[in-house]
Amino acid sequence: MEIPARATLSQKIGFIGGGQMAMALAKGFLASQLVKPDQVLVSAPSDRNLKLWRDEMKCSTTHDNAQVILECDVIFLATKPHIFSIMLRNLRESLNNEILTSDSKLYVSVMAGIKMETLTG
């Protein structure tokens, strides 16, 4: 019996927040060959975590959360929960609000304790 080839995504995957949860997800995606490193873009406020993303995982990094939304098709919201409302306000100021609700983007929250009303509000 022939084993089918692994499916790979054509979409660009973004992470807003480059901490442990985001890194674990990305490492799994890369290890399973679901995506290639050049399909991953991650944002974080400092280079502390981003350096690992660049050096070890060979992914693209930025300090600009809006860049992740503009360039990626699937966006993982992986900030610390207490930072989310500030981050969302900054995104709304820098982006046209329509792109945050675009049907062509998939948003996935991995933030503990953030209610759906907060994500959509």
Side-chain angles (χ1 to χ4, degrees):
M1 182 168 89
E2 188 173 326
I3 298 174
R6 292 182 190 257
T8 57
L9 295 178
S10 59
Q11 292 91 349
K12 190 157 184 180
I13 308 298
F15 293 89
I16 296 180
Q20 296 299 315
M21 182 65 75
M23 195 172 289
L25 288 166
K27 283 181 177 180
F29 297 158
L30 293 167
S32 68
Q33 299 177 349
L34 187 62
V35 295
K36 296 176 183 155
D38 64 356
Q39 289 174 264
V40 178
L41 175 63
V42 61
S43 64
S46 76
D47 268 335
R48 189 184 69 202
N49 288 340
L50 293 182
K51 185 170 176 11
L52 294 172
W53 286 83
R54 285 189 307 268
D55 296 348
E56 293 180 19
M57 297 168 56
K58 308 300 183 209
C59 297
S60 299
T61 65
T62 181
H63 295 291
D64 184 3
N65 294 332
Q67 182 182 351
V68 173
I69 290 177
L70 291 170
E71 293 185 18
C72 297
D73 307 297
V74 180
I75 297 113
F76 287 85
L77 302 172
T79 64
K80 302 264 188 248
H82 67 278
I83 296 172
F84 177 72
S85 60
I86 297 165
M87 184 269 301
L88 184 60
R89 187 172 344 134
N90 291 339
L91 280 173
R92 285 190 173 138
E93 290 172 4
S94 63
L95 292 172
N96 180 346
N97 195 43
E98 291 175 18
I99 198 161
L100 292 175
T101 58
S102 169
D103 290 337
S104 63
K105 305 279 181 180
L106 172 64
Y107 293 89
V108 180
S109 172
V110 294
M111 297 177 294
I114 299 291
K115 295 182 179 182
M116 197 65 182
E117 296 84 32
T118 304
L119 289 171
T120 59

